Amino acid sequence: MIETTEALGQKVGVAQACRALSVPRSSVYRARKPKREPAPRPAPPRALSLEEKAEVRAVLNSARFCDSAPREVYATLLDEDDVYYCHWRTMYRILEEHDEVRERRKQRRHPTRVKPELRATGPKQVWTWDITQLRGPGRFYYLYTIIDVFSRYVVGWMIANQESGELARQLIAETCAKQRIERDRLILHADRGSAMRSKTVQELLVDLGVSKSYSRPYTPTDNPYSEAQFKTMKYRPDYPEAFEGITHARLWARAFFSWYNQEHHHTGLALMTPATVHYGQAQYVNERRQQTLDAAYAAHPERFVGGRPTSPQLPQEVWINQPKKPHDEFAHLAGPAASDRQPGAQAGSRAKNVASLDADEHLAILEQPLVPVDETSIFHP
């Protein structure tokens, strides 16, 4: 308002401008005077010296009192040491001068965890595994499941009475042998459970030439495919509230995984089954679908407003934590990048190296007898 009055006063005069804008002339004249810096406030004679303040601050931040409030320090010094430095309010002011009215202990800081970024362009490149509990009669059983990230195919599973690294080692070893995994071709991703990080499992991965990758602590979204598969299982209409025993749990799981791999049309797989994608039959199925759609379009083209219908296409790549920025050409060719990998382990995706089984070999695998049901039975579809 003062600036507006000054501008108007240059045209009609200060007095008339002040009357028009209802601004006191004294305020205008006061604003024209330069502001003087306030004189420094003299230290009172009873104030603490700089040396005394430094001594009080050193006592407050000492190992003895670093986790105590100034009131506690003040009372403790009086009662136990018969020492008086200053009032506890003065202690607060000394700390405030150094921006120390806060937590003064040296807190342990958790290291920054690297977000795992895994990329698969075909089966047998990235697997993820996890363990979930199945309710039984007064106890829980433990379901171990290994999933191929690209095809969502459950390559191996096991139900046991306990969670241990030795059982996990047995499951991983037999599954890799069953799927004919070559060295330096596979990344095995898991969370940070005790079985996942056990010494026996880590030694096995080194022997097999399998790279390891772990989720960040308390971050279930770093292992989304295993979590989603467990949800699909536990939301099945026939999933029991509690299993009658471990045999009942294994029989139910055997039927479920057979349905999941062979019959379940997965939304993320262009409505194909995991077995179709895992064993290299996706192109054949897609061509048959397209022939059916072309026949329907030729019979009634007026029903397809958007033109010729096309069958959903299978994704060319699948990610765990896809980076927001696009990769450059080198990173695209390098394939998956896994955190916490063994030094020297190759994590490159081999899109051209996907092993496809013919129909006879596929049926032979499906018709193989299952392992007898015992304490450590491992099942491979």
Side-chain angles (χ1 to χ4, degrees):
M1 185 61 72
I2 298 298
E3 291 78 3
T4 305
T5 306
E6 289 284 9
L8 183 61
Q10 294 178 1
K11 298 180 180 180
V12 299
V14 175
Q16 188 174 355
C18 290
R19 285 194 300 270
L21 299 176
S22 300
V23 176
R25 281 187 294 171
S26 59
S27 298
V28 177
Y29 298 142
R30 190 183 303 110
R32 292 178 178 179
K33 296 180 180 180
K35 294 184 179 181
R36 293 178 297 178
E37 294 292 334
R41 181 181 177 183
R46 60 178 181 272
L48 297 179
S49 64
L50 296 179
E51 292 76 9
E52 290 174 327
K53 288 184 177 181
E55 183 179 2
V56 172
R57 183 188 173 207
V59 171
L60 291 172
N61 292 329
S62 63
R64 179 184 178 187
F65 295 119
C66 66
D67 58 348
S68 301
R71 300 187 187 192
E72 291 290 337
V73 178
Y74 173 83
T76 302
L77 291 175
L78 286 180
D79 296 341
E80 299 181 5
D81 299 346
D82 298 329
V83 174
Y84 175 82
Y85 290 105
C86 59
H87 196 270
W88 58 267
R89 290 194 181 93
T90 305
M91 293 181 179
Y92 269 112
R93 283 192 288 268
I94 294 174
L95 292 177
E96 187 176 3
E97 291 175 1
H98 299 275
D99 192 24
E100 293 177 347
V101 184
R102 51 178 172 77
E103 178 65 68
R104 301 191 306 279
R105 291 176 294 178
K106 293 182 178 180
Q107 299 291 323
R108 177 175 179 264
R109 296 185 178 182
H110 295 283
T112 303
R113 302 289 184 178
V114 179
K115 180 171 65 173
E117 297 177 355
L118 307 179
R119 171 175 169 265
T121 58
K124 302 181 182 181
Q125 295 179 6
V126 180
W127 287 357
T128 176
W129 74 287
D130 203 352
I131 302 174
T132 188
Q133 293 181 336
L134 306 178
R135 186 182 298 276
R139 58 166 303 167
F140 286 97
Y141 304 114
Y142 295 89
L143 171 62
Y144 300 63
T145 307
I146 304 178
I147 302 175
D148 189 289
V149 168
F150 184 83
S151 65
R152 315 299 202 276
Y153 189 81
V154 178
V155 293
W157 61 276
M158 174 180 62
I159 297 179
N161 289 313
Q162 59 183 347
E163 178 181 350
S164 72
E166 187 60 37
L167 293 177
R169 182 186 188 279
Q170 183 180 356
L171 172 64
I172 296 172
E174 295 189 15
T175 304
C176 289
K178 192 78 173 181
Q179 292 290 316
R180 304 173 186 176
I181 299 300
E182 301 178 5
R183 294 186 62 85
D184 303 330
R185 295 295 183 90
L186 177 67
I187 298 175
L188 186 62
H189 180 72
D191 58 24
R192 294 182 175 267
S194 58
M196 291 71 172
R197 305 197 67 187
S198 63
K199 185 178 180 180
T200 56
V201 172
Q202 297 192 30
E203 291 176 349
L204 172 68
L205 298 182
V206 174
D207 295 340
L208 296 177
V210 176
S211 301
K212 60 181 180 179
S213 173
Y214 295 109
S215 303
R216 291 167 293 177
Y218 311 107
T219 311
T221 54
D222 282 353
N223 197 7
Y225 299 99
S226 291
E227 299 291 344
Q229 195 274 331
F230 287 152
K231 181 178 180 181
T232 301
M233 178 187 68
K234 296 186 177 182
Y235 275 78
R236 290 291 295 165
D238 59 342
Y239 183 78
E241 294 184 2
F243 293 95
E244 300 174 359
I246 192 170
T247 303
H248 178 210
R250 287 170 175 166
L251 292 175
W252 186 92
R254 182 186 303 173
F256 166 76
F257 286 118
S258 176
W259 167 84
Y260 183 86
N261 284 338
Q262 308 294 334
E263 303 177 24
H264 175 50
H265 294 87
H266 204 291
T267 304
L269 301 177
L271 297 179
M272 297 185 186
T273 64
T276 300
V277 178
H278 192 75
Y279 291 106
Q281 300 173 354
Q283 183 177 359
Y284 170 72
V285 172
N286 189 68
E287 291 175 355
R288 289 191 55 187
R289 289 180 175 181
Q290 190 60 51
Q291 292 176 3
T292 304
L293 292 175
D294 290 342
Y297 178 72
H300 300 281
E302 71 280 358
R303 297 179 180 177
F304 299 91
V305 181
R308 175 176 174 268
T310 57
S311 177
Q313 298 298 314
L314 187 69
Q316 297 299 315
E317 60 181 15
V318 177
W319 282 88
I320 293 180
N321 294 330
Q322 183 175 7
K324 296 182 180 179
K325 296 182 180 180
H327 287 296
D328 54 17
E329 184 66 18
F330 175 79
H332 178 75
L333 295 176
S339 63
D340 295 342
R341 291 197 302 267
Q342 292 287 359
Q346 297 182 5
S349 299
R350 272 78 171 184
K352 304 300 182 181
N353 249 349
V354 179
S356 300
L357 301 181
D358 55 23
D360 295 337
E361 191 174 1
H362 185 195
L363 292 177
I365 291 178
L366 297 179
E367 294 174 356
Q368 288 181 357
L370 294 173
V371 181
V373 177
D374 55 16
E375 176 64 23
T376 58
S377 296
I378 298 175
F379 301 92
H380 300 95

